[in-house]
Amino acid sequence: MKTLALLLALVALLAVLPFVGSDYALSFTIQLLMFTSLAYSWNIIGGYAGYTHFGQVAFFGLGAYVGALLVGAGWHWLAAAAAASLAAIALALALGSAMLRLKGSFFAIGMYGLARVGENFALGFDGITQGGTGLYLTPTDLTPIYAVLAAIALALIAFTHRLDNARFGLQLLAIREDETAAEALGVRTTRLKITAFMISAAAPGAVGALYASYLAFIDPATAFAPMTELTTIAMVLLGGLGTVLGPLVGAVVLSVVNELLWSRFPELYLGLVGIIILGAVLFMPRGIVNAFAKRRWRWVSAPRAGLRRLADAARPVPAASPARTPAE
Amino acid sequence: MSTLTLAAPRSTAPGLRDDILVVEGVSKRFGGRIALDAASLEVRRGSITGVIGPNGSGKSTLFNIVAGALPPDGGRVRINGRDTTRHGPAQVCREGVGRTFQISRLFSEMTVLENLVAIAHGKSDVEAVERARELLDFLEIAGLRDKWGSELSYGQRKLVEIARALMLEPTLMLLDEPFAGINPRLQNRIVEHLDALRRNGLTLFFIDHEMRIVLEVCDELYVLAEGRVIARGAPEAVRADPAVAEAYF
């Protein structure tokens, strides 16, 4: 219920913003929604399945180029974004079975390498991509792009809430905790990982295409920027890895802090952001949401609360009986 | 103790031995060291069968080969009449095999309920939750339902692992040292539960060092030494075997 109430409040806020906010507010919110979507997508494979990596920007960059090229060929930006999403899903499917054999730092670095391959292909195939010069698009009205980005972000929040309370989410967590044990207990780990990887690639592909339309330009350095990747990961870590609200909280906090520092300390802001992230990781290693959940703040839903409600609905849980409970 | 519904055991013709697990001449080497040397055994459906042996005798290797965690170099494994020699762990599991681990491998950042529900197959969430509750009741650990895996004691983890393996509704349960490191009171409780599971039609196959329990609970016992089966039979007969006494006792 708390997540539903939050979603409704967000929908209301996002619905009125284009009518009451300035162009600056609209532009800031577009970037916030973009990062929120990227953070939620990364959270599925990095947070829930535990396959942290530095290569999501490969799907974002691919989406940006597919979108820009299709818009350049006369497609509507929305259709181009849908095609970009499918392209990213196809890439994830093609790479998934090979890349997801890698574990831990090998997978993280392998995915970083994939992003660099994408950047170099975008530079190298200059007959198609215009290389370092980049592709220029006709500027379009930002409000519909904003609306689609808002819909994507909200859909991802709703999906994550469902994932958190579904067996699929539990099985991803089982993979994160102990993949060997999960497999020995019959969890189809390879299939689940590839599915999660494909889902986590879908939104970045679409968002990349929307970003190209928003900027009316894309070049390899923008499409495959390591800073986009690191910001996304920092948002998830700051908010809470593998939680429903963590990516949203992290995206809002980091975007606001970023914006405030950038406007006041343009030369120092990146360093200051780095210090803030370092402090947050040191003092709240499991993120803001988990830190508050631990203190039982009522606005934070307990993880997998839906499953617990289901069990409570069946029969109330009996109190633990010390006489019956082994206590080695 | 509450009753429990398990997968229905197969019936077989009277007088015929119905083996749920057959290991035929299985061998395994690690580099130059022979871990298993043409080991063979059969586990009768509905029995409690144990494997004992000194450290390094090949018990864990045998167990891991049966569970699909290790491929054998030679020989065959059949479960429920199907050749599972080259099956991976998830496939073996889907042949109706549940297992526990020597060192607890509960998912520590999940509650007990989530540990059980996560691995349920072919059930809706409501059915999975209901089954989990039934198992927790059966093992008398319903009070642990909402505890995190990381909050459980060693003994509680052993019981929850048994409940988790039962979520798979196995016909054969592999228990890797279920009595190791726990006090005699809890050992006795686990014995009672295993006996109740056997009466419900489940076949139990385990390895352990706890001789008191092994001799008490097993219908049939195998003794491994240096990768070979050196004795088999009823516990008392095995105990009286001079070869076993030399190798083990």
Side-chain angles (χ1 to χ4, degrees), chain B residues 135-192:
Chain B
L135 290 169
L136 295 176
D137 282 346
F138 172 74
L139 292 168
E140 299 168 290
I141 49 173
L144 302 178
R145 191 194 84 182
D146 293 333
K147 289 220 179 273
W148 297 99
S150 56
E151 292 178 317
L152 302 181
S153 68
Y154 189 74
Q156 288 169 337
R157 284 168 164 262
K158 291 269 184 192
L159 285 169
V160 174
E161 280 215 335
I162 292 173
R164 188 171 66 172
L166 289 170
M167 274 304 281
L168 301 166
E169 300 192 344
T171 49
L172 171 64
M173 185 104 136
L174 308 178
L175 301 156
D176 196 347
E177 301 202 15
F179 303 105
I182 55 176
N183 68 31
R185 190 168 144 256
L186 181 57
Q187 285 177 347
N188 290 340
R189 260 186 75 189
I190 293 180
V191 168
E192 284 174 25

Side-chain angles (χ1 to χ4, degrees), chain A residues 311-328:
Chain A
D312 286 338
R315 266 178 297 160
V317 62
S321 160
R324 285 288 189 192
T325 306
E328 255 69 4

Side-chain angles (χ1 to χ4, degrees), chain A residues 289-309:
Chain A
V289 167
N290 280 323
F292 284 110
K294 207 173 172 184
R295 287 170 178 76
R296 301 190 186 281
W297 279 41
R298 298 181 66 85
W299 60 273
V300 180
S301 289
R304 277 89 70 192
L307 193 66
R308 208 164 300 178
R309 274 198 297 275

Side-chain angles (χ1 to χ4, degrees), chain B residues 21-162:
Chain B
L21 169 67
V22 179
V23 175
E24 293 173 347
V26 163
S27 301
K28 184 73 185 175
R29 298 175 76 98
F30 295 106
R33 190 179 152 269
I34 298 170
L36 276 180
D37 186 6
S40 298
L41 58 82
E42 296 91 38
V43 174
R44 203 174 67 248
R45 194 178 301 279
S47 69
I48 299 182
T49 302
V51 176
I52 58 169
N55 283 335
S57 61
K59 301 186 301 294
S60 292
T61 304
L62 173 69
F63 207 75
N64 284 327
I65 287 172
V66 171
L70 271 180
D73 296 333
R76 279 204 319 164
V77 178
R78 279 188 289 124
I79 296 170
N80 279 321
R82 288 166 63 94
D83 191 334
T84 61
T85 314
R86 297 291 154 197
H87 280 18
Q91 283 172 293
V92 169
C93 184
R94 281 168 196 278
E95 295 291 346
V97 178
R99 72 164 294 180
T100 64
F101 299 91
Q102 184 181 349
I103 297 165
S104 164
R105 297 183 87 159
L106 280 188
F107 307 125
S108 56
E109 289 192 33
M110 290 189 201
T111 64
V112 167
L113 177 74
E114 290 160 3
N115 261 278
L116 268 60
V117 172
I119 59 146
H121 305 311
K123 283 184 165 57
S124 69
D125 283 354
V126 175
E127 289 167 342
V129 166
E130 192 46 48
R131 176 66 176 170
R133 295 192 55 126
E134 190 188 0
L135 290 169
L136 295 176
D137 282 346
F138 172 74
L139 292 168
E140 299 168 290
I141 49 173
L144 302 178
R145 191 194 84 182
D146 293 333
K147 289 220 179 273
W148 297 99
S150 56
E151 292 178 317
L152 302 181
S153 68
Y154 189 74
Q156 288 169 337
R157 284 168 164 262
K158 291 269 184 192
L159 285 169
V160 174
E161 280 215 335
I162 292 173

Side-chain angles (χ1 to χ4, degrees), chain A residues 107-147:
Chain A
F107 178 68
I109 301 297
M111 285 298 294
Y112 179 78
L114 175 70
R116 303 285 65 81
V117 168
E119 184 177 5
N120 280 286
F121 276 11
L123 273 170
F125 290 108
D126 54 358
I128 302 167
T129 63
Q130 305 297 320
T133 310
L135 292 167
Y136 288 84
L137 306 174
T138 309
T140 185
D141 182 11
L142 294 187
T143 309
I145 291 178
Y146 162 86

